Amino acid sequence: MAIDNAFAKQSIQEHFGSDLLGHEEPFGLLTIEINPEKLIDIVGWLYNHPELKMTYLTDLCAVHYPEQSGREIAVVYHLHSLPNNLRVRLKAFLPVAGGHIASLTGIFSGANWMERETFDFYGVQFDGHPQLKRILNMDEMDYHPLLKQYALEDETREDKDDRFFGR
Amino acid sequence: MVKLVEAPEGLEGQGFFATSLDKVIGMARANSLWPLPFATSCCGIEFMATMASNYDLARFGSERLSFSPRQADLLMVMGTIAKKMGPVLKQVYDQMAEPKWVISVGACASSGGIFDTYSVLQGIDRIIPVDVYVPGCPPRPEQIIEGVLKIQELARNESLRRRNSDEYKKMLESYHIQTS
């Protein structure tokens, strides 16, 4: 059997069943919504699977959906199987900003800085991370700037007349 | 052909020349400014062209770049300064010995430029005093040279007492820079 999206989806579905909350395939990329509490189990299982071999973490980030109350923050994981050239995207939704999810640093060392960045910009708490502190913004910053309630523009600038900037 | 700087105004006679100390020191300072390039982005590339043979800033006595702030006279800030970089820039300025001048090259260093965002310092004059602003995004090397010539003019005409004046100390204190 070819190792493709259908195979990966079927394998995960058989093994995890109800912890798989939904799936889609935008632009041919298998995207699976998972139960955040089972993150470590699912990623570890994909890593150690004898055929899927999802041993590479391409990206880890978050998205803020302020209009979805109860599932505001999506933490997104991109996994890549190098031998099969197959990619899987996992999404775990957290109820509010500042929500907790397990750290992947036990499986992928490369998750360390990516989780720090996600914490820095979205305030996601990664439980079990060895050093969860800001990585890109200045240490004195007291908010998580990519949450949608905060303005992108610098609030201290006085020379900009809003009328000329469409705001 | 070697071109010498003209002597300042003064009284000249056979075997002597008298002028004021201000003018002699001003002339010497203006024509031997040691710049410290603080280049963080594309304005820094223009500065490299300014220093290279086509535009040759060395013609104006700024041959010797100083990469130690302690030996530099002129801090040239060229490029976007992120807020996280702010304390670094301020420390570099602190470490420079008086007299010191600052030139802010390009839109980003002068005002934040197009980066009107939470992470970028909206002009370096929020943390250190600036003597000359060079507009442009990025400015051409000719403009950077014009800025350096303006600094030379300031250095040439500066009173020797200026850096000890209360006005100057107050100005530094308004930037929370310690004066000894």
Side-chain angles (χ1 to χ4, degrees), chain B residues 18 36 41 43 45-46 48 62 64 79 86 92 94 105 110 116 153 157-158 160 168 171 178:
Chain B
L36 167 61
S41 47
C43 290
I45 307 291
E46 295 298 310
M48 292 169 206
S62 295
R64 201 278 191 183
V92 166
D94 277 344
V105 175
S110 304
D116 182 9
E153 213 168 289
N157 298 315
E158 186 177 303
L160 288 185
Y168 184 74
M171 189 273 293
Q178 274 197 328

Side-chain angles (χ1 to χ4, degrees), chain B residues 126-160:
Chain B
R126 295 186 171 218
I127 50 168
I128 57 174
V130 175
D131 294 280
V132 170
Y133 298 87
V134 177
C137 187
R140 284 194 57 85
E142 290 93 328
Q143 289 172 272
I144 300 179
I145 290 176
E146 171 75 6
V148 173
L149 292 183
K150 293 273 183 222
I151 292 279
Q152 288 194 354
E153 213 168 289
L154 288 175
R156 191 175 294 118
N157 298 315
E158 186 177 303
S159 154
L160 288 185

Side-chain angles (χ1 to χ4, degrees), chain A residues 23-161:
Chain A
H23 56 78
E24 51 179 344
E25 282 186 39
F27 302 99
L29 174 60
L30 178 60
T31 304
I32 295 175
E33 187 188 333
I34 58 166
N35 177 357
E37 289 175 7
K38 288 292 166 73
L39 173 75
I40 292 282
D41 293 347
I42 294 173
V43 174
W45 182 79
L46 285 170
Y47 187 101
N48 293 314
H49 193 285
E51 281 165 287
L52 286 172
K53 298 174 188 157
M54 294 278 173
T55 53
Y56 188 72
L57 179 67
T58 315
D59 194 15
L60 190 168
C61 62
V63 187
H64 187 205
Y65 298 102
E67 72 285 355
Q68 298 180 8
S69 65
R71 36 190 282 139
E72 274 192 32
I73 302 279
V75 187
V76 186
Y77 301 86
H78 290 229
L79 297 174
H80 190 183
S81 166
L82 293 167
N84 302 312
N85 194 19
L86 179 73
R87 294 172 193 272
V88 171
R89 175 163 60 189
L90 302 178
K91 286 187 178 182
F93 282 86
L94 303 178
V96 283
H100 289 254
I101 195 164
S103 166
L104 279 191
T105 46
I107 301 170
F108 298 105
S109 298
N112 188 319
W113 283 11
M114 290 195 266
E115 286 181 351
R116 277 177 68 184
E117 185 183 357
T118 308
F119 162 75
D120 191 352
F121 284 101
Y122 294 92
V124 177
Q125 302 285 337
F126 291 93
D127 297 331
H129 190 283
Q131 192 196 19
L132 194 65
K133 61 168 195 167
R134 288 189 187 276
I135 184 168
L136 288 172
N137 285 302
M138 53 198 295
D139 294 329
E140 296 80 20
M141 189 176 253
D142 52 5
Y143 67 105
H144 301 285
L146 288 193
L147 294 175
K148 296 269 199 297
Q149 65 262 39
Y150 301 111
L152 175 70
E153 291 85 3
D154 188 281
E155 304 281 303
T156 61
R157 195 155 162 175
E158 295 131 16
D159 60 328
K160 281 199 158 181
D161 190 328

